[in-house]
Amino acid sequence: MDPTTDNAGTTGNPDNARASLEALRAEIAKAVVGQDPAVTGLVVALLCRGHVLLEGVPGVAKTLLVRALASALELDTKRVQFTPDLMPSDVTGSLVYDTRSAEFSFQPGPVFTNLLLADEINRTPPKTQSSLLEAMEERQVTVDGTPRLLPDPFLVAATQNPVEYEGTYPLPEAQLDRFLLKLTIPLPSRQDEIDVLTRHAEGFNPRDLKAAGVRPVAGPADLEAARAAVAKTTVSPEITAYVVDICRATRESPSLTLGVSPRGATALLATSRAWAWLTGRDYVIPDDVKALALPTLRHRVQLRPEAEMEGVTPDSVINAILAHVPVPR
């Protein structure tokens, strides 16, 4: 068998990879109703080797979405429920004494996976939250002075509840900045909710994705080919300047105390390239930047208290900036 062929039956060809990744939406829709933007965001993050913060009230299928994505991509996934008593070693792993060999051996934690679902990440103290920082940034975990590489691909999909703040520990700006995208998971429309209930009435079991018909349609080889193609996507000097102007405008906004950092500008350029490639182009246009501006930047800005009291939101500030920054022709 050709070594570039994965178990899903596709090769590392960029065109085949794009078709396979486009098929993800239809495959995941067998289990999750009406969350196409979130699926696209997760794929963009995988292409950019980034991580995703999923925000939504309980019961909108955040966990099911990640599990369905892992099944459709034939990737390993693990889930960690973040609680106030969770220790860093519960995430990263630890050294365990083996009485038979009289030696310490490393027991890998759940972070050693392809897709890590960090459920309700803001319910655990900062010390445990920070245990993910090295894994997210360096793609490795250091225990007892020894670095251990994580699998590739590796993506952290962290969830948080936007309405219940009692007993939570808000993520610090430094950690928020490590997430490539912040995706909001809305409540379903009336028709989507009817479809969800109809599926359950017909016997759908969210814990049995195979029975729901979710099958692998892409694999690691497709992701690798797609990443190589995204890296070749052309960015003109005008587009680069457009991204910089948008991010600099956030730093000058009277509604914000914290604007987008240069890391955020780099992230917006990366996600725009991935989106351009997914839509079938090998060059970036201003619409690509606009399409990814909200999910890439909304968690990298901080509102002034008086603006927040007036009902201003990060999304409204970014939309206003997009409306005023000159678009390159």
Side-chain angles (χ1 to χ4, degrees):
M1 180 180 289
D2 188 333
T4 62
T5 303
D6 62 34
N7 293 333
T10 58
T11 66
N13 180 280
D15 292 332
N16 291 343
R18 184 188 288 115
S20 298
L21 293 176
E22 288 174 352
L24 279 176
R25 292 182 185 178
E27 201 63 26
I28 294 173
K30 296 176 182 178
V32 182
V33 177
Q35 296 293 359
D36 281 354
V39 174
T40 301
L42 286 165
V43 173
V44 167
L46 280 168
L47 294 179
C48 297
R49 290 183 168 87
H51 308 285
V52 176
L53 183 62
L54 300 170
E55 187 173 89
V57 299
V60 290
K62 298 186 293 292
T63 301
L64 181 59
L65 175 63
V66 174
R67 288 180 55 240
L69 177 69
S71 294
L73 283 172
E74 211 166 25
L75 298 175
D76 182 46
T77 183
K78 289 185 175 70
R79 175 180 176 272
V80 178
Q81 181 66 49
F82 280 70
T83 56
D85 61 348
L86 193 74
M87 298 297 291
S89 59
D90 295 329
V91 178
T92 61
S94 59
L95 294 176
V96 178
Y97 184 72
D98 189 340
T99 56
R100 290 174 297 181
S101 64
E103 293 180 348
F104 284 94
S105 62
F106 178 67
Q107 183 66 36
V111 75
F112 286 86
T113 187
N114 296 124
L115 297 183
L116 176 68
L117 178 63
D119 217 352
E120 295 189 291
I121 190 174
N122 57 335
R123 288 208 174 278
T124 199
K127 182 177 181 180
T128 305
Q129 291 176 7
S130 65
S131 67
L132 281 177
L133 282 178
E134 182 187 16
M136 293 169 66
E137 191 70 17
E138 307 296 336
R139 298 298 200 275
Q140 68 178 25
V141 166
T142 302
V143 177
D144 196 34
T146 302
R148 293 171 170 85
L149 294 178
L150 295 172
D152 185 38
F154 172 69
L155 179 143
V156 174
T159 73
Q160 64 179 15
N161 185 343
V163 295
E164 189 178 352
Y165 292 110
E166 186 176 350
T168 63
Y169 304 83
L171 296 177
E173 282 74 17
Q175 187 166 352
L176 280 173
D177 208 33
R178 294 304 197 282
F179 286 98
L180 181 72
L181 300 172
K182 179 182 178 182
L183 304 176
T184 56
I185 310 296
L187 288 166
S189 66
R190 180 176 182 273
Q191 185 56 54
D192 285 344
E193 196 164 359
I194 290 173
D195 291 343
V196 170
L197 268 63
T198 300
R199 290 186 180 190
H200 280 268
E202 293 173 349
F204 170 70
N205 182 0
R207 296 173 183 82
D208 189 355
L209 295 178
K210 288 186 178 180
V214 179
R215 298 287 184 269
V217 294
D222 293 304
L223 283 175
E224 201 56 44
R227 287 169 173 176
V230 169
K232 297 177 182 177
T233 302
T234 303
V235 181
S236 69
E238 292 78 13
I239 293 295
T240 302
Y242 182 52
V243 170
V244 168
D245 289 343
I246 290 171
C247 294
R248 291 182 68 85
T250 65
R251 302 168 203 162
E252 300 166 0
S253 171
S255 299
L256 302 176
T257 60
L258 179 69
V260 176
S261 68
R263 178 189 287 143
T266 303
L268 180 55
L269 187 63
T271 56
S272 301
R273 294 176 84 180
W275 177 245
W277 181 82
L278 278 172
T279 53
R281 279 178 282 100
D282 60 358
Y283 57 92
V284 180
I285 62 175
D287 284 348
D288 300 324
V289 178
K290 291 181 179 180
L292 272 297
L294 286 180
T296 308
L297 304 182
R298 58 164 61 108
H299 57 297
R300 304 175 193 271
V301 299
Q302 190 171 28
L303 291 170
R304 292 187 181 278
E306 56 269 28
E308 196 167 3
M309 291 177 63
E310 294 172 0
V312 176
T313 65
D315 285 14
S316 65
V317 173
I318 294 169
N319 279 326
I321 288 171
L322 291 174
H324 286 89
V325 172
V327 180
R329 301 290 181 183

